Amino acid sequence: MTDARIPTVRLGEGGPEVGVQGLGCMGMSFAYGPADAGESRATLERALELGVTLYDTADAYGAGENEKFLALFFKAHRDEVVIATKFALSIPPDDPTKRIIRNDPPYIRQAVEASLKRLDVDVIDLYYMHRRDVNVPIEESVGTMAELVREGKVKHLGLSEITADELRAAQAVHPIAAVQSEWSLFSRDIEAKVVPAVREAGAALIPYSPLGRGFLTGSFANAEQDLTDGDFRRQQPRFTGDNAAANAALLEPIREIAQAHGVSVGQIALAWVQQQATVHTLPVIPIPGTRKATRVEENTAATRVVLTEEELSLLEPIAAKVAGDRYADMSFTSAGRE
């Protein structure tokens, strides 16, 4: 095993230099079943040793618990890390299992203060609008976010699951440093309009779920049968029933390429995402989520895997064959509004 640190790239025009791969921290306290806190802390430390400097969380992950969990790590390494968190998914007091999308200015101000307190920091490096409330003009929401920059509470702005037109409208109000969307061998809808708009804006593209929520690693074949009751992937259409079986068969060309390179299936899937930076000529910083230090080592090693044009061609048809949407309700994704 090599301990080579990953290279760096700028997080949008005027943004900080970060490792070319970040870390999605959601699963350390939310969504993927029980987590071991000690193991998660070791994972954070190992990621930093390997050059991972962009750490992604959100106020909705565990109703703020993920931000609280990360606070000690951030405090110990404040000058070495770039903290990304998000607002927009409000929890109604009468039903803590639900989320309501809110982009209104009073809520944004309430959310940022709560995140600053939970993270125990004076400023958030990258503050995202997690999801878009179409009933609030995006210029109004981004205008409030821009005020947070001027007030010194936030350094850079980001948008998640945003359409190309929404990005352009936001960019006219304040520079957007990063756009976060699902992007993987299984999810390529953003390539038609969003990716060109991100390049045009001079922003970075931050792919979440670059490993198809673990499906592209081959670690499970059917969420209902293979994952614990508390795992939210059991409710996602492409990982259950007939869809799961059909999609599992799509991993075969990835396995063949992995064997040729002497690496794992997941490393090929992640290398494909990393290589989109060259294909589309823009900064691409995927944020695979994991709670294991060994997985961080495997994921960062994928930055050193280079796929040939022939291999890229073999992988090209996969996305069009995927059965099932990435969410049961696609209305709050960019693809659902394009």
Side-chain angles (χ1 to χ4, degrees):
M1 180 186 71
T2 177
D3 274 3
R5 288 172 63 87
I6 60 175
T8 62
V9 66
R10 190 163 295 283
L11 184 66
E13 293 179 1
E17 287 281 330
V18 296
V20 295
Q21 187 180 112
L23 182 64
C25 301
M26 177 179 78
M28 293 179 178
S29 50
F30 176 70
Y32 293 131
D36 182 285
E39 186 176 44
S40 293
R41 291 189 189 97
T43 300
L44 293 166
E45 295 287 350
R46 184 63 177 137
L48 188 59
E49 288 174 355
L50 293 169
V52 175
T53 54
L54 176 63
Y55 293 82
D56 185 89
T57 182
D59 60 3
Y61 299 162
E65 290 303 314
N66 197 238
E67 290 180 323
K68 290 179 183 177
F69 172 76
L70 294 168
L72 283 176
F73 171 73
F74 291 154
K75 192 176 188 67
H77 301 286
R78 187 64 188 98
D79 294 337
E80 303 170 80
V81 300
V82 173
I83 301 171
T85 193
K86 316 177 193 73
F87 74 88
L89 299 181
S90 172
I91 303 172
D94 58 335
D95 189 350
T97 66
K98 290 187 176 179
R99 299 289 186 272
I100 298 171
I101 300 176
R102 290 189 60 181
N103 292 173
D104 55 285
Y107 179 75
I108 295 172
R109 289 197 162 276
Q110 172 189 327
V112 75
E113 295 297 341
S115 284
L116 285 166
K117 184 176 181 180
R118 285 189 294 264
L119 291 164
D120 193 21
V121 295
D122 296 324
V123 60
I124 294 166
D125 299 312
L126 177 61
Y127 200 43
Y128 286 103
M129 178 192 293
H130 202 163
R131 291 292 186 268
R132 169 90 171 98
D133 178 0
V134 296
N135 297 309
V136 179
I138 195 164
E139 294 86 352
E140 187 176 325
S141 302
V142 176
T144 301
M145 294 169 72
E147 291 173 4
L148 301 180
V149 176
R150 290 192 288 273
E151 293 165 14
K153 295 175 181 178
V154 170
K155 290 183 180 179
H156 304 283
L157 303 185
L159 303 169
S160 181
E161 287 290 355
I162 209 79
T163 69
D165 286 343
E166 290 164 348
L167 172 57
R168 292 186 182 100
Q171 183 77 7
V173 176
H174 189 277
I176 302 300
V179 171
Q180 187 172 128
S181 284
E182 186 165 355
W183 198 9
S184 73
L185 281 168
F186 269 24
S187 301
R188 297 181 58 181
D189 49 78
I190 66 169
E191 292 175 30
K193 295 182 180 180
V194 175
V195 171
V198 173
R199 183 173 59 241
E200 172 189 313
L205 202 298
I206 314 296
Y208 72 84
S209 299
L211 292 169
R213 304 193 185 279
F215 196 86
L216 285 164
T217 68
S219 59
F220 72 97
N222 186 303
E224 293 168 307
Q225 298 170 10
D226 301 339
L227 303 178
T228 60
D229 290 344
D231 197 307
F232 90 123
R233 290 172 289 186
R234 290 166 62 92
Q235 281 76 53
Q236 292 191 298
R238 61 178 49 167
F239 303 142
T240 56
D242 292 341
N243 287 347
N247 292 335
L250 298 177
L251 300 184
E252 192 51 39
I254 311 175
R255 286 195 180 93
E256 292 175 4
I257 295 171
Q259 187 174 12
H261 281 263
V263 300
S264 70
V265 174
Q267 284 175 307
I268 294 300
L270 193 47
W272 180 88
V273 178
Q274 299 275 179
Q275 209 156 323
Q276 298 311 298
T278 301
V279 174
H280 294 278
T281 60
L282 81 168
V284 175
I285 308 158
I287 48 169
T290 185
R291 303 178 290 206
K292 297 180 182 296
T294 53
R295 284 290 190 190
V296 168
E297 292 164 359
E298 180 180 330
N299 291 345
T300 53
T303 64
R304 298 187 288 277
V305 176
V306 179
L307 302 173
T308 66
E309 289 298 324
E310 182 181 0
E311 289 167 340
L312 290 172
S313 296
L314 288 172
L315 299 173
E316 184 66 24
I318 291 175
K321 299 176 182 178
V322 172
D325 284 331
R326 48 193 178 99
Y327 291 102
D329 179 5
M330 289 288 286
S331 64
F332 58 87
T333 68
S334 60
R337 298 192 306 278
E338 285 284 12

